Amino acid sequence: EYFDGVTNIFLDDLLRYEVAKKEWKQILTAPRPPARCAHSCVSYKQCLYVFGGELETADQYHHYRDLWKFDTNTLKWTEIAAKNPPSARSGHVAFVWKNFMVLFGGFFEALRETKWYNDVSVFNLQTETWMDVPQSRLATKPEPRSACNLAAFGSDKVVIHGGFSKMKSVNSSSETKVHSDAWVLHLAPLLQQKPPTWERWMSS
């Protein structure tokens, strides 16, 4: 995304840096993902996986829920039409653990509705399917947020820290909330087809 002083410009280009030649080259292939920003991108076995994102212009504000794979060997994009993807969103975080792509959080905005998420979605990169790993509504977990930090912790955990959201106040206006808490997400249950579990690490 680029703001030229008048309007937002969204890009759909892909660039490759050749280390030996010390130069950038643009990769132009079709089909390819539509222009967007605030999406996630992870790497697994010489492929890049892009999910979600947003497009904001004077005419529309759109959130994506599509999943694309870019093969770094063939330099071609493929859209993965797997069933039951997460809801449309942007500002989420994603990472790869073993053969799983794990997504957390993000937000969705429409003309009359804005939502922040705290759900966890899991994509099996070997079978290219979204896993059914519903979490109990009674489970302890982070508040909904977008734009949080993420870091690997040990061999089977990640730490989620911070983030941003807006909360409705008593007079129905929205109040910005900057999160400063930290949570550990335990990933080992995924190996038994079970949801990962949360542990609070640091309070706000």
Side-chain angles (χ1 to χ4, degrees):
E1 179 184 5
Y2 168 70
F3 182 66
D4 65 359
V6 179
T7 185
N8 285 336
I9 300 173
F10 288 79
L11 307 174
D12 64 350
D13 53 356
L14 181 65
L15 300 173
R16 177 180 63 184
Y17 183 71
E18 296 190 4
V19 178
K21 297 181 179 180
K22 296 182 179 180
E23 65 180 17
W24 289 95
K25 285 190 175 181
Q26 189 173 14
I27 301 174
L28 296 174
T29 59
R32 61 178 181 268
R36 66 189 66 199
C37 70
H39 50 279
S40 60
C41 181
V42 301
S43 173
Y44 177 75
K45 289 188 176 181
Q46 299 181 322
C47 289
L48 302 176
Y49 292 82
V50 169
F51 175 81
E54 66 185 64
L55 173 66
E56 180 184 7
T57 67
D59 302 319
Q60 63 173 319
Y61 193 101
H62 180 72
H63 280 79
Y64 294 98
R65 64 185 302 194
D66 51 352
L67 176 61
W68 290 79
K69 177 173 71 174
F70 179 76
D71 191 315
T72 59
N73 291 319
T74 63
L75 303 183
K76 291 184 178 180
W77 286 101
T78 303
E79 183 174 6
I80 301 175
K83 295 181 179 180
N84 302 317
S87 58
R89 66 188 65 199
S90 62
H92 53 282
V93 291
F95 61 94
V96 170
W97 180 71
K98 296 187 181 297
N99 60 293
F100 304 108
M101 177 178 71
V102 184
L103 276 66
F104 168 73
F107 80 103
F108 170 86
E109 185 173 356
L111 290 176
R112 300 180 180 179
E113 181 184 31
T114 302
K115 292 181 178 179
W116 267 263
Y117 297 105
N118 63 346
D119 54 347
V120 175
S121 300
V122 182
F123 184 75
N124 188 319
L125 293 161
Q126 289 184 341
T127 61
E128 294 194 343
T129 56
W130 290 101
M131 296 175 59
D132 183 19
V133 286
Q135 291 191 313
S136 169
R137 294 183 179 181
L138 300 178
T140 301
K141 53 188 174 182
E143 291 181 280
R145 66 192 68 192
S146 65
C148 56
N149 298 309
L150 180 147
F153 179 49
S155 61
D156 60 357
K157 295 180 284 291
V158 295
V159 176
I160 300 290
H161 174 258
F164 169 89
S165 64
K166 289 184 179 180
M167 309 295 291
K168 286 188 177 181
S169 61
V170 177
N171 60 6
S172 297
S173 62
S174 295
E175 294 183 358
T176 298
K177 182 170 184 178
V178 177
H179 300 271
S180 59
D181 53 346
W183 294 74
V184 175
L185 183 63
H186 297 267
L187 303 167
L190 288 175
L191 299 178
Q192 283 78 46
Q193 302 289 310
K194 296 180 180 179
T197 58
W198 288 104
E199 174 189 355
R200 186 190 297 273
W201 197 26
M202 183 175 66
S203 299
S204 297

